[in-house]
Amino acid sequence: MMNYAPPGDPAESAAVIAQNLTATRAGRQVLRGMDFTVPTGRITGLLGPSGCGKTTLMRAVVGTQAEVGGTLQVLGRPAGDPALRSRIGYVTQAPSVYDDLTVRQNLDYFAAVLLPGRAHRTDRRTAVDRAVEDVDLADHADVLAGRLSGGQRSRVSLAVALLGTPELLVLDEPTVGLDPVLRRDLWDLFHRIAADRGTTLLVSSHVMDEAERCHRLLLMREGEILAEDTPEALRRRHDTATVEEAFLHLVDAANARADRTTPPAQAAPTPREEPRP
Amino acid sequence: MNASRTLATAARVLRQLRHDPRSIALMLLVPCLMLFLLRYVFDGSPGTFDSIGASLLGIFPLITMFLVTSIATLRERTSGTLERLLAMPLGKTDLIAGYALAFGLVAVLQSVLATGLAVRLLGLDVTGSPWLLLLVALLDALLGTALGLFVSAFAASEFQAVQFMPAVIFPQLLLCGLFTPRDRMAPALETISNVLPMSYAVDGMNEVLRHTDMTTAFVRDALVVAGCAVLVLGLGAATLRRRTA
């Protein structure tokens, strides 16, 4: 992927730009005015406790979330624009594949949706073969997805997202429930995809040790961005050994501030004085 | 709408079905078994077998396809594959037409078997062309697919989806003229039966049963069933949302 913008300007080289992003689910505000950018060709980790709005944020970026407010630019277009559908790969937390099809049949179908028609026949075959190799499932290509282990099924789901060589890959907790070896292999794959294919990755996790593997981090809590920086800078700024400690530091500070300014539980959101890079 | 994507979807649905031979067997054989039973239940009155048998040839594909489609699309919704597909460059009509095509094909197979058995082996006495019976059966199957697709939007689980069968199908079954001619029902019920699509499916079958050529009543019945199928398919498409809460 080419980007001719000067590297110093984050707005120009950003794959995702959010300004005052809000989202409401069942009358409850899940995202409360978020500002952040996701740089092109890098791995951005989205970290925060369960239920803090990570999935909602990712669905907003992909364009499947209803009731989204504010501005959200994805690959230069408003999120949810039909032209983006073939440029974004999205992997939901629960593997979304057909259990009653084999791995290859699953990939064949989704490839036919992305690259329809006879003219793309060989392209499809190449894409499917590469996706199977990417997630290391060549030995299981002809096994029904429903017969695979949980970790294998989530890799099939990932393989589907890799099919069309998307410019932006949105992965919702892709390593949850995987053993350490597989987790390492997947993170290696993410880095390979970012480096070799120029793909932008937005990866959510609630496991903080994965934060260290990202180029950049968005730390989230209760629908707000707590910090947006590189892991290294976060550790340095809060003088901690790990991102996890830096995160806890930020959460404690935010809680203390909330206690001081808003005695009742549900009060108007207070203006943040978060240090922004 | 993209023909390649529609065909790919239909092929995928059929491929899924192929991994489930028991469902295929049930879909194809149960109607035959029911007709076989019916033939010997009415052993002493072949006239009754003719009219009920012909009606059932129209009703079976509707019920089967309703059940199969409502469960299949519900699975698609709950497994997350629908969300994934709608985040991809797939048109809603591609998806719906793909389903209609795949299950339509199964319905043709089912109807060929059931009609063949009824006419050839069980001596169902049809005045008109068996091809017209087949045509109505196919339209009924499409209507069943459409209703199943629509109803699956209101079911949160497979359990609920199955419960919709009695709710949507049974009233139509009672009022469609299968048990008693529609003009002999209470006037209010006759009026209701006039707006239920299954009534026209059964009327169409009975037209073929009694007349040698294609009557205007037959054409009207076929058009009503087809029109309802298209209408409900459109409603079904409206229940597929790219953005959800």
Side-chain angles (χ1 to χ4, degrees):
Chain A
M1 197 171 22
M2 300 310 272
N3 205 312
Y4 297 104
D9 186 353
E12 283 296 315
S13 59
V16 180
I17 307 167
Q19 278 161 349
N20 193 25
L21 178 70
T22 57
T24 321
R25 290 187 81 173
R28 201 173 69 90
Q29 206 172 30
V30 185
L31 305 182
R32 312 175 181 188
M34 305 176 81
D35 296 284
F36 61 88
T37 56
V38 175
T40 299
R42 319 245 69 196
I43 303 179
T44 300
L46 180 61
L47 285 108
S50 304
C52 73
K54 297 191 295 290
T55 299
T56 308
L57 186 150
M58 298 190 125
R59 295 185 71 227
V61 169
V62 174
T64 54
Q65 182 66 40
E67 296 188 66
V68 176
T71 35
L72 185 58
Q73 285 277 319
V74 180
L75 303 173
R77 287 170 180 275
D81 189 298
L84 291 174
R85 281 178 205 145
S86 55
R87 299 170 66 195
I88 303 178
Y90 174 41
V91 182
T92 49
Q93 211 165 328
S96 43
V97 292
Y98 298 102
D99 280 347
D100 43 5
L101 290 181
T102 68
V103 174
R104 188 174 291 279
Q105 287 171 341
N106 265 292
L107 290 167
D108 281 343
Y109 173 56
F110 288 110
V113 171
L114 285 168
L115 303 160
R118 266 174 201 282
H120 290 110
R121 209 179 211 160
T122 44
D123 296 349
R124 281 204 295 271
R125 184 161 305 168
T126 324
V128 168
D129 286 341
R130 188 182 71 169
V132 169
E133 290 291 329
D134 279 343
V135 298
D136 204 13
L137 279 176
D139 295 344
H140 295 82
D142 297 315
V143 179
L144 285 182
R147 298 250 165 102
L148 296 174
S149 73
Q152 288 168 330
R153 282 175 75 235
S154 57
R155 272 143 69 204
V156 180
S157 197
L158 174 64
V160 173
L162 295 176
L163 276 174
T165 319
E167 293 162 55
L168 171 64
L169 202 50
V170 179
L171 310 174
D172 198 349
E173 309 248 0
T175 58
V176 78
L178 297 185
D179 62 76
V181 180
L182 263 176
R183 267 172 54 183
R184 184 200 58 198
D185 290 352
L186 274 186
W187 275 98
D188 288 347
L189 171 68
F190 299 159
H191 278 276
R192 238 176 20 247
I193 291 170
D196 303 347
R197 303 177 195 170
T199 306
T200 306
L201 284 93
L202 179 61
V203 186
S204 77
S205 177
H206 63 264
V207 192
M208 287 291 167
D209 61 335
E210 296 193 332
E212 316 281 349
R213 292 169 169 274
C214 301
H215 296 126
R216 209 177 158 76
L217 294 173
L218 298 174
L219 297 187
M220 250 184 104
R221 179 183 157 273
E222 291 178 18
E224 290 173 352
I225 296 278
L226 275 185
E228 179 182 8
D229 215 330
T230 63
E232 190 190 6
L234 279 168
R235 285 195 304 264
R236 207 174 40 230
R237 174 143 33 94
H238 298 279
D239 196 22
T240 54
T242 61
V243 170
E244 178 161 10
E245 288 169 57
F247 179 71
L248 290 174
H249 200 267
L250 280 161
V251 169
D252 288 344
N255 282 342
R257 215 164 36 235
D259 286 346
R260 255 200 325 275
T261 50
T262 58
Q266 280 290 332
T270 50
R272 312 210 61 84
E273 66 257 34
E274 202 52 56
R276 300 297 295 272
Chain B
M1 180 98 183
N2 175 304
S4 307
R5 291 195 177 111
T6 304
L7 288 176
T9 304
R12 184 264 295 174
V13 173
L14 290 174
R15 217 166 266 154
Q16 283 179 286
L17 204 58
R18 217 179 53 197
H19 288 292
D20 186 3
R22 196 177 300 169
S23 286
I24 302 180
L26 285 169
M27 282 160 82
L28 297 182
L29 297 181
V30 168
C32 294
L33 187 72
M34 297 295 287
L35 283 168
F36 192 77
L37 265 176
L38 211 64
R39 163 67 184 79
Y40 292 101
V41 166
F42 293 109
D43 204 24
S45 48
T48 318
F49 173 66
D50 285 347
S51 81
I52 292 190
S55 303
L56 282 183
L57 282 178
I59 291 168
F60 282 140
L62 202 158
I63 293 181
T64 320
M65 293 308 136
F66 174 84
L67 268 179
V68 172
T69 318
S70 58
I71 301 282
T73 34
L74 183 78
R75 268 196 209 162
E76 186 108 55
R77 283 174 206 271
T78 50
S79 70
T81 46
L82 180 70
E83 186 183 0
R84 164 164 250 158
L85 285 173
L86 291 179
M88 283 182 163
L90 180 81
K92 293 176 193 174
T93 39
D94 295 336
L95 185 68
I96 290 183
Y99 265 103
L101 205 64
F103 289 140
L105 218 63
V106 177
V108 168
L109 209 62
Q110 185 200 57
S111 303
V112 166
L113 280 176
T115 313
L117 176 80
V119 175
R120 289 286 170 91
L121 293 180
L122 302 179
L124 183 83
D125 200 5
V126 197
T127 317
S129 157
W131 291 108
L132 293 180
L133 285 185
L134 209 58
L135 174 71
V136 180
L138 178 62
L139 291 176
D140 291 345
L142 283 180
L143 179 64
T145 299
L147 284 171
L149 196 78
F150 178 64
V151 154
S152 78
F154 304 98
S157 64
E158 299 189 358
F159 190 58
Q160 285 181 8
V162 174
Q163 306 292 324
F164 268 113
M165 217 263 302
V168 174
I169 301 291
F170 280 17
Q172 299 201 63
L173 207 57
L174 285 174
L175 296 175
C176 72
L178 179 67
F179 297 104
T180 185
R182 296 201 286 128
D183 53 14
R184 268 190 253 154
M185 295 175 187
L189 290 187
E190 194 192 343
T191 313
I192 296 176
S193 85
N194 280 339
V195 295
L196 294 177
M198 198 193 277
S199 310
Y200 296 89
V202 169
D203 284 0
M205 284 299 189
N206 281 314
E207 285 297 311
V208 183
L209 193 69
R210 296 202 188 94
H211 304 277
T212 41
D213 47 357
M214 224 196 277
T215 58
T216 41
F218 173 82
V219 174
R220 184 206 57 190
D221 293 336
L223 283 177
V224 169
V225 175
C228 282
V230 171
L231 183 78
V232 181
L233 277 178
L235 289 176
T239 66
L240 302 177
R241 295 273 162 81
R242 288 198 194 265
R243 283 183 182 271
T244 48

